[in-house]
Amino acid sequence: MPNRELSVLASGYTYLEGLRWREGRLWASDFYTGLVIAVSLEGAVDRICLVPQQPSGLGWLPDGRLLISSMKDRKVMRRETDGTLSVHADLSALTGGHINDMVVDAQGRAYVGNFGFDIMAGAPVRTTTLVRVDPDGVAQVVADGLCFPNGSFITPDGKTLIVNETFGNRISEFDIQPNGALGPRRDWANFGELPASDDLSAVIAASAIAPDGGAMDAEGAIWVADAIGKRIVRVARGGKILEQIDTGEFGIFAAALGGPDGRTLFMAAAPDFIEANRRAKPEARILMARVDVPHAGRP
């Protein structure tokens, strides 16, 4: 496998998620400062907005307005053209925990995942829903039975939604119907069976990978951030690992492909994902590496 050289684009953050390349900059959410930021390739950082209840997934409506997952109050926020924030949708009645990452399609429909259980309190593992938020803010459940639906991708033809299940040891996919509904779930990749246990430590111990965020490329592979493996892996449909980048003491929790040619892999790195640890120390950073195959699909 190639030996990819890693460099640091930005550092000094708490826990970064939601990496997106747009209009010449990398956008990201910093959980515990509440900031959404945009970073140039030269490392210049612009503070876009503050989301007090913890920002995560990012996406854009067709008119350019930014959507942001506000995790703890389970609302999708919308940044208006004047910079103010409005509630786009309240998902508290449709979700089983903090809302998290999302992907927005060409029509402005947002597919939003959620934790399903209180991971930081050590609560029992529970499966949960995927919610679609239409451009007018109307929300409905479009899939259920997912284990921590996280980073999500829409194929370039707009016909397939792919969802990383962080504690499901698998990546799922769905056909997208013309009206935004989803067909039945099927495996995009399955990394092995898990024990019939609701204990998170047992689930993690039996998992080959914990798919968090990621990025799709033009060959249909996905760079998958492994939340338990201190690595990012390039995975083909079916589950074959094509390449692995190890990151030593840092875990990788989100990724994006971007740069002028779409071949810069950006990675959100931190020592762990434990809230008490990350709040206390601004150790999170954005790493970069050059790769061979450019970005494709959404986000």
Side-chain angles (χ1 to χ4, degrees), residues 191-253:
F191 302 100
E193 295 302 311
L194 292 179
S197 173
D198 62 5
D199 178 75
L200 182 58
S201 60
V203 169
I204 290 175
S207 296
I209 185 172
D212 197 324
M216 176 177 285
D217 70 27
E219 292 182 352
I222 297 174
W223 284 99
V224 178
D226 181 1
I228 60 174
K230 297 189 184 301
R231 62 178 182 164
I232 187 167
V233 291
R234 184 171 180 252
V235 180
R237 190 177 188 280
K240 181 180 180 181
I241 292 178
L242 305 173
E243 185 175 344
Q244 175 170 314
I245 300 174
D246 295 304
T247 50
E249 61 184 305
F250 281 83
I252 301 296
F253 302 99

Side-chain angles (χ1 to χ4, degrees), residues 11-19 27-38 45 47 49-58 68-69 71 268-270 278-279 281-286:
S11 60
Y13 294 93
T14 59
Y15 185 87
L16 294 158
E17 269 280 9
L19 301 191
W27 298 61
S29 295
D30 189 33
F31 273 19
Y32 305 122
T33 64
L35 289 173
V36 176
I37 61 173
V45 179
R47 296 187 176 195
C49 61
L50 177 68
V51 181
Q53 293 299 311
Q54 199 168 303
S56 183
L58 305 174
I68 309 161
S69 291
M71 299 181 71
R278 297 303 101 228
R279 279 189 177 277
K281 296 178 180 179
E283 296 175 312
R285 60 192 59 178
I286 298 168

